[in-house]
Amino acid sequence: MRFDVLTLFPEIFSGYLTQSLLKLAIDRGLTSVHLHNIRDWAEGKHKQVDDKPFGGGPGMLLMAGPVVEAVEAVQAAADAPPGRLLLMSPQGRRLDQSLAEELSTSNRLVLLCGRYEGFDQRVVDLLRPEEISIGDYVLNGGEVAAMTIIDSVVRLVPGVLGDETSNQEDSFSRAGRTLEYAQYTRPREYRGLSVPDVLLSGNHPEIAAWREADAARRTAARLRAMDSGLQDSAGEPRPKPEA
Ligand code: ADE
Protein backbone atom coordinates (compact mmCIF):
# COMPACT_ATOMS: atom_id res chain seq x y z
CA MET A 1 0.00 0.00 0.00
CA ARG A 2 1.36 3.38 -1.02
CA PHE A 3 0.56 6.77 0.51
CA ASP A 4 1.47 10.09 -1.10
CA VAL A 5 1.13 13.19 1.05
CA LEU A 6 1.04 16.70 -0.41
CA THR A 7 1.79 19.33 2.20
CA LEU A 8 3.60 22.61 2.76
CA PHE A 9 5.27 21.07 5.83
CA PRO A 10 6.69 17.61 5.01
CA GLU A 11 8.98 17.80 8.06
CA ILE A 12 5.95 17.42 10.34
CA PHE A 13 5.82 13.73 9.30
CA SER A 14 9.42 12.76 9.96
CA GLY A 15 9.15 11.76 13.63
CA TYR A 16 5.92 9.89 13.11
CA LEU A 17 7.20 7.89 10.14
CA THR A 18 10.45 6.85 11.77
CA GLN A 19 9.04 5.29 14.95
CA SER A 20 7.25 2.15 16.02
CA LEU A 21 4.66 0.46 13.81
CA LEU A 22 4.99 2.83 10.85
CA LYS A 23 8.75 2.44 10.74
CA LEU A 24 8.43 -1.36 10.90
CA ALA A 25 5.78 -1.45 8.18
CA ILE A 26 7.94 0.72 5.92
CA ASP A 27 11.15 -1.23 6.67
CA ARG A 28 9.36 -4.49 5.89
CA GLY A 29 8.12 -3.11 2.56
CA LEU A 30 4.44 -3.43 3.53
CA THR A 31 3.78 0.24 2.98
CA SER A 32 5.50 3.34 1.66
CA VAL A 33 4.86 7.01 2.39
CA HIS A 34 6.01 9.58 -0.17
CA LEU A 35 6.08 13.23 0.93
CA HIS A 36 5.71 16.05 -1.60
CA ASN A 37 6.11 19.75 -0.87
CA ILE A 38 3.39 21.73 -2.67
CA ARG A 39 5.78 24.69 -2.78
CA ASP A 40 7.87 22.81 -5.34
CA TRP A 41 5.07 23.53 -7.84
CA ALA A 42 4.88 27.25 -7.01
CA GLU A 43 6.10 29.83 -9.51
CA GLY A 44 8.29 32.88 -9.25
CA LYS A 45 11.18 33.95 -7.12
CA HIS A 46 9.11 33.82 -3.93
CA LYS A 47 7.46 30.47 -4.64
CA GLN A 48 4.13 31.90 -3.51
CA VAL A 49 1.47 29.34 -2.59
CA ASP A 50 -1.16 31.46 -0.82
CA ASP A 51 -2.98 34.73 -1.36
CA LYS A 52 -5.80 36.90 0.06
CA PRO A 53 -9.41 35.86 -0.68
CA PHE A 54 -11.29 37.86 -3.32
CA GLY A 55 -14.16 39.72 -1.66
CA GLY A 56 -12.17 40.18 1.53
CA GLY A 57 -12.13 38.21 4.75
CA PRO A 58 -9.56 36.90 7.18
CA GLY A 59 -6.54 34.75 6.42
CA MET A 60 -4.94 33.41 3.31
CA LEU A 61 -6.04 30.76 0.84
CA LEU A 62 -3.91 28.15 -0.88
CA MET A 63 -3.82 29.09 -4.57
CA ALA A 64 -5.29 26.69 -7.11
CA GLY A 65 -2.26 26.61 -9.44
CA PRO A 66 0.44 25.04 -7.26
CA VAL A 67 -2.00 22.63 -5.59
CA VAL A 68 -3.68 21.38 -8.79
CA GLU A 69 -0.36 20.99 -10.57
CA ALA A 70 1.23 19.21 -7.61
CA VAL A 71 -1.64 16.70 -7.37
CA GLU A 72 -1.69 16.08 -11.12
CA ALA A 73 2.06 15.49 -11.23
CA VAL A 74 2.01 13.15 -8.23
CA GLN A 75 -0.98 11.16 -9.50
CA ALA A 76 0.59 10.83 -12.96
CA ALA A 77 3.77 9.20 -11.60
CA ALA A 78 4.46 6.30 -13.93
CA ASP A 79 5.23 3.73 -11.24
CA ALA A 80 1.80 3.72 -9.54
CA PRO A 81 -1.93 3.97 -10.38
CA PRO A 82 -3.53 7.42 -9.70
CA GLY A 83 -5.10 6.10 -6.48
CA ARG A 84 -7.84 7.68 -4.38
CA LEU A 85 -7.45 11.42 -3.82
CA LEU A 86 -8.41 12.54 -0.29
CA LEU A 87 -8.54 16.19 0.75
CA MET A 88 -8.28 16.89 4.48
CA SER A 89 -11.12 19.21 5.47
CA PRO A 90 -13.33 19.78 8.52
CA GLN A 91 -16.24 19.85 6.03
CA GLY A 92 -15.57 16.32 4.77
CA ARG A 93 -16.98 12.87 5.45
CA ARG A 94 -16.15 11.83 9.01
CA LEU A 95 -13.39 9.22 9.34
CA ASP A 96 -14.53 6.13 11.24
CA GLN A 97 -13.41 2.51 11.40
CA SER A 98 -15.56 1.43 8.43
CA LEU A 99 -14.06 4.17 6.25
CA ALA A 100 -10.55 3.15 7.41
CA GLU A 101 -11.38 -0.45 6.43
CA GLU A 102 -12.65 0.68 3.05
CA LEU A 103 -9.53 2.81 2.44
CA SER A 104 -7.26 -0.09 3.40
CA THR A 105 -8.46 -2.03 0.35
CA SER A 106 -7.00 0.64 -1.95
CA ASN A 107 -3.42 0.21 -3.16
CA ARG A 108 -2.70 3.93 -3.27
CA LEU A 109 -4.02 6.91 -1.29
CA VAL A 110 -3.05 10.48 -2.17
CA LEU A 111 -3.60 12.81 0.80
CA LEU A 112 -3.84 16.55 0.26
CA CYS A 113 -3.20 18.76 3.31
CA GLY A 114 -4.27 22.40 3.50
CA ARG A 115 -3.10 25.22 5.75
CA TYR A 116 -4.32 28.77 6.36
CA GLU A 117 -8.04 29.30 5.75
CA GLY A 118 -8.35 26.52 3.17
CA PHE A 119 -8.12 26.09 -0.59
CA ASP A 120 -9.29 28.11 -3.57
CA GLN A 121 -12.59 26.40 -4.52
CA ARG A 122 -11.19 25.51 -7.95
CA VAL A 123 -8.93 22.92 -6.30
CA VAL A 124 -12.09 21.00 -5.37
CA ASP A 125 -13.93 21.78 -8.63
CA LEU A 126 -11.04 20.59 -10.82
CA LEU A 127 -9.66 17.66 -8.83
CA ARG A 128 -12.95 16.33 -7.36
CA PRO A 129 -11.23 14.86 -4.28
CA GLU A 130 -13.04 12.98 -1.53
CA GLU A 131 -13.10 15.39 1.41
CA ILE A 132 -12.36 13.71 4.75
CA SER A 133 -12.67 15.14 8.27
CA ILE A 134 -11.28 13.52 11.41
CA GLY A 135 -13.81 15.26 13.66
CA ASP A 136 -15.89 18.34 14.26
CA TYR A 137 -13.11 20.73 15.23
CA VAL A 138 -10.78 22.88 13.18
CA LEU A 139 -7.09 21.98 13.02
CA ASN A 140 -4.35 24.35 11.94
CA GLY A 141 -3.79 22.21 8.88
CA GLY A 142 -4.47 18.83 7.35
CA GLU A 143 -1.21 17.16 8.44
CA VAL A 144 -2.52 15.68 11.70
CA ALA A 145 -5.61 14.48 9.84
CA ALA A 146 -3.42 12.82 7.17
CA MET A 147 -1.34 11.11 9.88
CA THR A 148 -4.57 9.91 11.51
CA ILE A 149 -5.74 8.39 8.24
CA ILE A 150 -2.38 6.71 7.59
CA ASP A 151 -2.27 5.41 11.16
CA SER A 152 -5.77 3.94 11.15
CA VAL A 153 -5.42 2.46 7.66
CA VAL A 154 -1.93 1.01 7.85
CA ARG A 155 -2.72 -1.23 10.82
CA LEU A 156 -5.38 -2.89 8.66
CA VAL A 157 -2.89 -3.77 5.91
CA PRO A 158 -2.21 -7.52 6.08
CA GLY A 159 1.08 -8.30 7.82
CA VAL A 160 1.54 -4.91 9.51
CA LEU A 161 0.45 -6.01 12.98
CA GLY A 162 2.35 -9.27 12.86
CA ASP A 163 -0.41 -11.11 14.71
CA GLU A 164 -3.20 -11.10 12.13
CA THR A 165 -5.95 -11.53 14.68
CA SER A 166 -5.07 -8.60 16.89
CA ASN A 167 -6.95 -5.88 15.03
CA GLN A 168 -10.08 -8.01 14.96
CA GLU A 169 -10.32 -7.39 18.70
CA ASP A 170 -9.87 -3.61 18.43
CA SER A 171 -12.73 -1.38 19.46
CA PHE A 172 -15.10 -0.82 16.48
CA SER A 173 -13.56 -3.73 14.50
CA ARG A 174 -15.12 -6.36 16.74
CA ALA A 175 -18.19 -8.28 15.63
CA GLY A 176 -21.11 -6.01 16.46
CA ARG A 177 -18.68 -3.02 16.43
CA THR A 178 -18.55 -2.83 20.22
CA LEU A 179 -15.75 -1.27 22.24
CA GLU A 180 -12.90 -3.54 23.32
CA TYR A 181 -13.04 -5.35 26.70
CA ALA A 182 -10.73 -4.43 29.60
CA GLN A 183 -7.30 -6.07 29.63
CA TYR A 184 -4.74 -6.61 32.39
CA THR A 185 -1.09 -7.63 32.61
CA ARG A 186 1.29 -8.23 35.54
CA PRO A 187 1.26 -7.59 38.45
CA ARG A 188 -1.90 -9.39 39.59
CA GLU A 189 -2.52 -6.69 42.16
CA TYR A 190 -1.64 -3.00 41.90
CA ARG A 191 -2.58 -0.41 44.55
CA GLY A 192 -5.27 -2.68 45.90
CA LEU A 193 -6.84 -3.37 42.49
CA SER A 194 -6.83 -7.04 41.44
CA VAL A 195 -7.11 -8.66 38.05
CA PRO A 196 -10.56 -10.31 37.73
CA ASP A 197 -10.24 -13.98 38.85
CA VAL A 198 -11.77 -15.33 35.66
CA LEU A 199 -8.82 -14.04 33.61
CA LEU A 200 -6.44 -16.11 35.77
CA SER A 201 -8.63 -19.22 35.66
CA GLY A 202 -7.30 -20.70 32.42
CA ASN A 203 -10.93 -21.46 31.48
CA HIS A 204 -11.07 -20.10 27.93
CA PRO A 205 -14.82 -20.33 27.31
CA GLU A 206 -15.40 -18.44 30.59
CA ILE A 207 -12.76 -15.87 29.70
CA ALA A 208 -14.38 -15.34 26.28
CA ALA A 209 -17.81 -14.95 27.89
CA TRP A 210 -16.46 -12.44 30.45
CA ARG A 211 -14.83 -10.42 27.67
CA GLU A 212 -18.00 -10.33 25.56
CA ALA A 213 -19.98 -9.19 28.59
CA ASP A 214 -17.39 -6.52 29.47
CA ALA A 215 -17.33 -5.25 25.88
CA ALA A 216 -21.14 -5.03 25.85
CA ARG A 217 -21.17 -3.25 29.24
CA ARG A 218 -18.58 -0.69 28.07
CA THR A 219 -20.40 -0.07 24.82
CA ALA A 220 -23.72 0.48 26.61
CA ALA A 221 -21.97 2.77 29.14
CA ARG A 222 -20.41 4.81 26.32
CA LEU A 223 -23.79 5.22 24.65
CA ARG A 224 -25.32 6.37 27.93
CA ALA A 225 -22.38 8.73 28.50
CA MET A 226 -22.86 10.22 25.06
CA ASP A 227 -26.47 10.92 26.04
CA SER A 228 -25.74 12.36 29.45
CA GLY A 229 -22.12 13.50 29.26
CA LEU A 230 -21.83 12.47 32.91
CA GLN A 231 -20.17 9.04 32.92
CA ASP A 232 -16.74 7.74 32.08
CA SER A 233 -16.20 4.90 29.61
CA ALA A 234 -16.44 2.26 32.35
CA GLY A 235 -19.89 3.52 33.32
CA GLU A 236 -18.73 5.12 36.56
CA PRO A 237 -20.25 8.49 37.36
CA ARG A 238 -17.86 11.35 36.75
CA PRO A 239 -17.06 13.61 39.72
CA LYS A 240 -19.20 16.70 39.58
CA PRO A 241 -17.27 19.65 38.13
CA GLU A 242 -16.17 22.11 40.84
CA ALA A 243 -18.61 25.00 41.15
N1 ADE B 1 -8.23 20.45 8.49
C1 ADE B 1 -8.58 21.31 9.45
N2 ADE B 1 -9.42 20.74 10.32
C2 ADE B 1 -9.59 19.44 9.91
C3 ADE B 1 -10.36 18.34 10.39
N3 ADE B 1 -11.11 18.41 11.48
N4 ADE B 1 -10.30 17.19 9.69
C4 ADE B 1 -9.55 17.10 8.58
N5 ADE B 1 -8.82 18.11 8.08
C5 ADE B 1 -8.84 19.27 8.74
Side-chain angles (χ1 to χ4, degrees), residues 39 42-51 60 63 66:
R39 202 175 290 279
E43 287 178 352
K45 194 166 71 167
H46 299 292
K47 296 266 173 202
Q48 188 180 354
V49 289
D50 59 326
D51 211 334
M60 301 285 270
M63 297 159 76

Side-chain angles (χ1 to χ4, degrees), residues 14-27:
S14 53
Y16 165 66
L17 293 174
T18 54
Q19 305 293 318
S20 188
L21 204 92
L22 248 296
K23 176 182 167 20
L24 266 173
I26 292 169
D27 288 351

Side-chain angles (χ1 to χ4, degrees), residues 169-226:
E169 289 300 316
D170 285 352
S171 294
F172 313 112
S173 287
R174 308 182 75 249
R177 302 211 164 247
T178 58
L179 300 179
E180 194 179 0
Y181 45 78
Q183 302 218 72
Y184 299 85
T185 183
R186 291 192 297 174
R188 288 181 178 203
E189 193 183 306
Y190 179 66
R191 296 200 180 180
L193 299 178
S194 303
V195 177
D197 288 339
V198 58
L199 298 179
L200 309 171
S201 68
N203 183 330
H204 292 288
E206 272 186 26
I207 292 173
W210 183 88
R211 287 179 164 169
E212 278 313 310
D214 193 57
R217 192 180 62 82
R218 284 165 176 266
T219 307
R222 167 67 70 85
L223 292 173
R224 282 198 305 277
M226 279 160 49

Side-chain angles (χ1 to χ4, degrees), residues 26-202:
I26 292 169
D27 288 351
R28 288 158 67 198
L30 297 168
T31 191
S32 61
V33 183
H34 303 257
L35 301 170
H36 309 275
N37 193 333
I38 296 168
R39 202 175 290 279
D40 293 345
W41 281 269
E43 287 178 352
K45 194 166 71 167
H46 299 292
K47 296 266 173 202
Q48 188 180 354
V49 289
D50 59 326
D51 211 334
K52 296 192 284 283
F54 282 121
M60 301 285 270
L61 294 179
L62 287 178
M63 297 159 76
V67 176
V68 169
E69 275 146 50
V71 170
E72 286 176 347
V74 165
Q75 287 200 288
D79 55 345
R84 244 169 115 160
L85 176 62
L86 311 179
L87 181 147
M88 307 302 107
S89 162
Q91 298 183 15
R93 170 179 172 189
R94 180 85 67 83
L95 178 69
D96 60 14
Q97 191 65 22
S98 357
L99 178 55
E101 281 164 17
E102 186 196 314
L103 294 174
S104 74
T105 63
S106 186
N107 49 17
R108 187 180 189 200
L109 297 177
V110 178
L111 310 177
L112 178 54
C113 305
R115 281 263 143 187
Y116 315 112
E117 298 299 313
F119 297 93
D120 183 306
Q121 178 59 31
R122 289 164 294 187
V123 169
V124 174
D125 294 345
L126 289 166
L127 297 172
R128 298 256 155 238
E130 297 173 66
E131 296 184 53
I132 310 277
S133 164
I134 61 163
D136 286 344
Y137 37 79
V138 179
L139 302 166
N140 292 323
E143 287 76 13
V144 170
M147 282 191 262
T148 305
I149 292 178
I150 296 171
D151 206 279
S152 60
V153 168
V154 92
R155 63 200 312 288
L156 301 172
V157 171
V160 166
L161 290 189
D163 173 1
E164 276 314 304
T165 57
S166 68
N167 59 20
Q168 293 167 15
E169 289 300 316
D170 285 352
S171 294
F172 313 112
S173 287
R174 308 182 75 249
R177 302 211 164 247
T178 58
L179 300 179
E180 194 179 0
Y181 45 78
Q183 302 218 72
Y184 299 85
T185 183
R186 291 192 297 174
R188 288 181 178 203
E189 193 183 306
Y190 179 66
R191 296 200 180 180
L193 299 178
S194 303
V195 177
D197 288 339
V198 58
L199 298 179
L200 309 171
S201 68

